[in-house]
Amino acid sequence: MSRRRLPLSLRRRAVPWEGQRPTWREARPALIAGALKRARTRPSGNWYVVGASRALRGDGKLARTVAGQEIVVWRGPDGRPVGGPGICPHLGAPLRDSPVRCGTLVCHWHGLALDGNPYAGWSPLPVHDDGVLVWARLDAVGGEEPLDAPVVPPRPEPARALTAVYTGVGVCEPEDVVANRLDPWHGAWLHPYAFVDLTVVDAPGDPAGAVDDGPDALTVDVSFKVAGRIVVPVRAVFTAPGPRTVVMRVCEGEGAGSVVETHATPLGADGTGRPRTAVIEAVLAVSARPGFAAARRAAPLLHPLVRATAGRLWRDDLAYAERRWLLRSTGRFPG
C-alpha cells in the first residue's frame, strides 16, 4: 500500500456476524496446546514483568505481588531502578504504602530508609528497566537457570514509537492468557466491534505439537474496524518467545513494524484460593506517515485511548482465559 494513500479500505462484501466463515475447525485444540507447550519450555531466566517504566518517574514506585511474593520497585538515588521484598524487615509494614523521597523508600511505620542496597535484613532483587516495562527476577519463584537480563522481544525504538501499557487482572493462570493469544482464530467472533475478515494464513505445521523446537509463528490477515464498512487491513505475526509472553508484530499494511507485547505475570491466590494473573500489555505503534510525528507529540492525550481500547478487548479475552482455567481446574476442559 502506498504511503501517500489513506490506509483505509471499504469492505465490499460485508457480512453479518453470524454469516462469517466459521473458524472452529482451523482452531484445532491440539495445535493450540502444542504451541502452548513449546512456549512453556522456553527460558525466561526467572524474570517477571512488574509494570510500566513510566510508573517510576520522579518518586513513583511499582508494588506488586508476584506468585505470592510482595515486591516493590523504585528509582534509587542515582536514578537506577532498584527493588526487593515489599515487606519491611522490621515489623512487616507493607512497603507498597511507603513513599519514595529523593531515591530512598521510607517505611511509613517507623522510618526505616532503603536506598536499594542491603540493609537491616532487607535484600534487593535484580531489576531491569527496558525503557517500556520494568522486570524483576525472582529465582525462588521461577526455578530456572537465572539470566542476567530478561529476554526482551525485538521492538521499535521507544523514541520513535507511540507507546502505552495496559494492565488487567483475571482469575486464571499465565498459561490461560498465553493460550488465548495463541488462538487468533477467535478474533472476529469474540471481538466483532474491533476485527473483521480474519484469516490465519500460516500456522505451525504439526497439529499434535510433536515438534519440540523451532519458533512458532501464526500469520494472520485481519482488518481493524474504523466505522461502518471502513477498515484498516494488515498482516500480523504472533509468536511466543517465552513461557509468559506473546508478541504480535504488524508485518504488512498500515503501522508495519508496530508491536503488541502481552506478558502474563502470576500474582498468587485470592481469598478463595483461586489463582490470579496480571496481563501487562505494551503497545508500541510506529508509522512512516508524516502525521505520525504529531501523534507522538500528543502521546499523553492518546495513552488513555489506547489503554481503553486494550481494556475493552481484554474484558473479552480475560473472560476466555478465566473460563479456560475454570474448566481445567474442574476436569471439564475439552480434550
Side-chain angles (χ1 to χ4, degrees):
M1 182 181 294
S2 169
R3 292 175 183 171
R4 293 188 295 273
R5 294 175 53 193
L6 289 174
L8 307 177
S9 294
L10 185 67
R11 297 179 73 208
R12 299 185 181 279
R13 295 190 179 92
V15 297
W17 176 83
E18 67 276 9
Q20 64 184 313
R21 183 179 58 81
T23 56
W24 67 271
R25 289 184 177 87
E26 300 166 40
R28 297 188 296 271
L31 189 154
I32 298 169
L36 175 62
K37 176 183 176 183
R38 293 188 291 277
R40 295 179 67 186
T41 65
R42 294 179 184 129
S44 72
N46 303 326
W47 289 93
Y48 296 81
V49 173
V50 180
S53 298
R54 63 170 52 94
L56 301 187
R57 291 175 178 171
D59 285 341
K61 68 177 184 297
L62 282 165
R64 191 173 297 285
T65 299
V66 178
Q69 308 296 310
E70 294 180 46
I71 64 171
V72 61
V73 180
W74 71 98
R75 293 199 183 278
D78 60 359
R80 292 184 302 107
V82 295
I87 300 173
C88 180
H90 174 226
L91 285 175
L95 295 179
R96 67 171 57 243
D97 298 329
S98 298
V100 177
R101 296 289 184 265
C102 299
T104 299
L105 187 146
V106 183
C107 178
H108 64 297
W109 278 15
H110 298 95
L112 177 65
L114 302 169
D115 63 4
N117 292 305
Y119 183 68
W122 187 90
S123 297
L125 292 168
V127 175
H128 180 84
D129 180 2
D130 66 24
V132 178
L133 298 171
V134 176
W135 308 63
R137 198 182 81 196
L138 286 82
D139 294 336
V141 171
E144 298 180 20
E145 185 70 25
L147 296 177
D148 291 338
V151 180
V152 179
R155 57 166 68 141
E157 286 293 331
R160 68 181 185 89
L162 174 64
T163 65
V165 178
Y166 163 81
T167 301
V169 176
V171 177
C172 60
E173 295 178 330
E175 74 162 77
D176 301 300
V177 173
V178 174
N180 168 268
R181 302 301 283 160
L182 293 176
D183 169 20
W185 293 275
H186 75 261
W189 287 99
L190 191 56
H191 311 294
Y193 51 84
F195 307 121
V196 292
D197 303 330
L198 186 150
T199 301
V200 177
V201 297
D202 190 26
D206 188 345
V211 179
D212 292 324
D213 57 4
D216 288 306
L218 292 156
T219 304
V220 176
D221 286 342
V222 64
S223 292
F224 295 91
K225 290 187 70 172
V226 177
R229 292 194 296 156
I230 300 175
V231 297
V232 178
V234 301
R235 172 166 287 188
V237 177
F238 290 77
T239 56
R244 294 178 296 276
T245 299
V246 177
V247 177
M248 185 200 76
R249 184 179 306 276
V250 178
C251 57
E252 293 182 24
E254 183 64 18
S258 298
V259 165
V260 177
E261 283 181 23
T262 304
H263 302 272
T265 299
L267 303 181
D270 65 11
T272 64
R274 301 177 304 172
R276 298 171 68 249
T277 294
V279 173
I280 303 174
E281 186 166 88
V283 178
L284 293 92
V286 294
S287 175
R289 294 183 181 277
F292 186 71
R296 284 183 50 247
R297 288 193 292 270
L301 300 176
L302 295 175
H303 287 158
L305 176 61
V306 176
R307 287 194 295 268
T309 300
R312 186 178 183 187
L313 291 168
W314 273 108
R315 278 194 294 274
D316 295 336
D317 283 332
L318 276 173
Y320 175 128
E322 290 179 328
R323 176 69 174 177
R324 186 180 187 275
W325 173 80
L326 176 64
L327 295 179
R328 285 196 308 109
S329 65
T330 54
R332 295 180 291 155
F333 188 68

